[in-house]
C-alpha cells in the first residue's frame, strides 16, 4: 500500500513539474481562422470584435474605439488582464467566464488548440 502511495506521489510530482503544453503558432494561426470572422490579430483594427493585436497584457474591455459590453468593462475594472491563464479560461468558455459578454463564440474545447491560438496571439503582442 505504501508503495502505491509513493508511486502516485511521484507521478503527481512529475506531472506538476512538467513544462506547460507546447505551443505552435503556425497551428494556432489555423485555429484562429474560426476567430477571423470577428477579430484581427496581425493589425490593430477592430471588426465585429475588438482587435487582438497586442491583446496579451491588455486589461479586459479597454481597446480604443471598440464598444464593449458592460460585463466586459466591469471585468476589466475588476482587474482581469489578458495573460495566458486568463485567455485559456476565456477561450474555453467565454460566456461562462464573463457572463454578459457580447462574444457569441462558444469557445474552444481542445486544450492544445487554445495553447496554439495563444502562441499565435503572442506574435502580435510584443
Amino acid at each position: 500500500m505504501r508503495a502505491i502511495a509513493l508511486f502516485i506521489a511521484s507521478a503527481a510530482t512529475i506531472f506538476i513539474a512538467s513544462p506547460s503544453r507546447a505551443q505552435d503558432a503556425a497551428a494556432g494561426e489555423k485555429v484562429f481562422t474560426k476567430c477571423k470572422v470577428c477579430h484581427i490579430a496581425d493589425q490593430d483594427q477592430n471588426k465585429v470584435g475588438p482587435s487582438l493585436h497586442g491583446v496579451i497584457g491588455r486589461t479586459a474591455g479597454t481597446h480604443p474605439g471598440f464598444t464593449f459590453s458592460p460585463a466586459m468593462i466591469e471585468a476589466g475594472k475588476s482587474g482581469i488582464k489578458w495573460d495566458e491563464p486568463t485567455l485559456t479560461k476565456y477561450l474555453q468558455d467565454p460566456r461562462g467566464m464573463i457572463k454578459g459578454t457580447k462574444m457569441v463564440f462558444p469557445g474552444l474545447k481542445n486544450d492544445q488548440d487554445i495553447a496554439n491560438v495563444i502562441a499565435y496571439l503572442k506574435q502580435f503582442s510584443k
Side-chain angles (χ1 to χ4, degrees), residues 74-123:
E74 280 304 311
K77 287 179 180 177
S78 75
I80 292 180
K81 286 191 183 264
W82 298 122
D83 58 14
E84 285 190 53
T86 306
L87 279 169
T88 298
K89 183 177 178 181
Y90 187 72
L91 291 173
Q92 288 170 338
D93 184 10
R95 290 177 173 236
M97 180 177 162
I98 300 180
K99 307 240 186 289
T101 182
K102 293 192 299 187
M103 189 155 125
V104 296
F105 185 70
L108 297 170
K109 302 309 174 203
N110 181 296
D111 290 340
Q112 188 63 58
D113 285 349
I114 293 169
N116 292 341
V117 166
I118 291 171
Y120 175 70
L121 292 173
K122 281 180 180 178
Q123 299 177 108

Side-chain angles (χ1 to χ4, degrees), residues 21-111:
R21 190 174 301 277
Q23 295 179 331
D24 181 342
E29 182 176 13
K30 291 177 184 169
V31 176
F32 191 78
T33 60
K34 297 175 183 180
C35 312
K36 282 185 174 183
V37 172
C38 299
H39 298 282
I40 294 176
D42 60 350
Q43 299 173 34
D44 192 10
Q45 178 183 344
N46 294 324
K47 288 177 74 175
V48 172
S51 171
L52 298 180
H53 189 270
V55 71
I56 307 291
R58 183 188 306 159
T59 299
T62 62
H63 190 272
F66 187 79
T67 304
F68 290 93
S69 66
M72 189 62 74
I73 293 168
E74 280 304 311
K77 287 179 180 177
S78 75
I80 292 180
K81 286 191 183 264
W82 298 122
D83 58 14
E84 285 190 53
T86 306
L87 279 169
T88 298
K89 183 177 178 181
Y90 187 72
L91 291 173
Q92 288 170 338
D93 184 10
R95 290 177 173 236
M97 180 177 162
I98 300 180
K99 307 240 186 289
T101 182
K102 293 192 299 187
M103 189 155 125
V104 296
F105 185 70
L108 297 170
K109 302 309 174 203
N110 181 296
D111 290 340

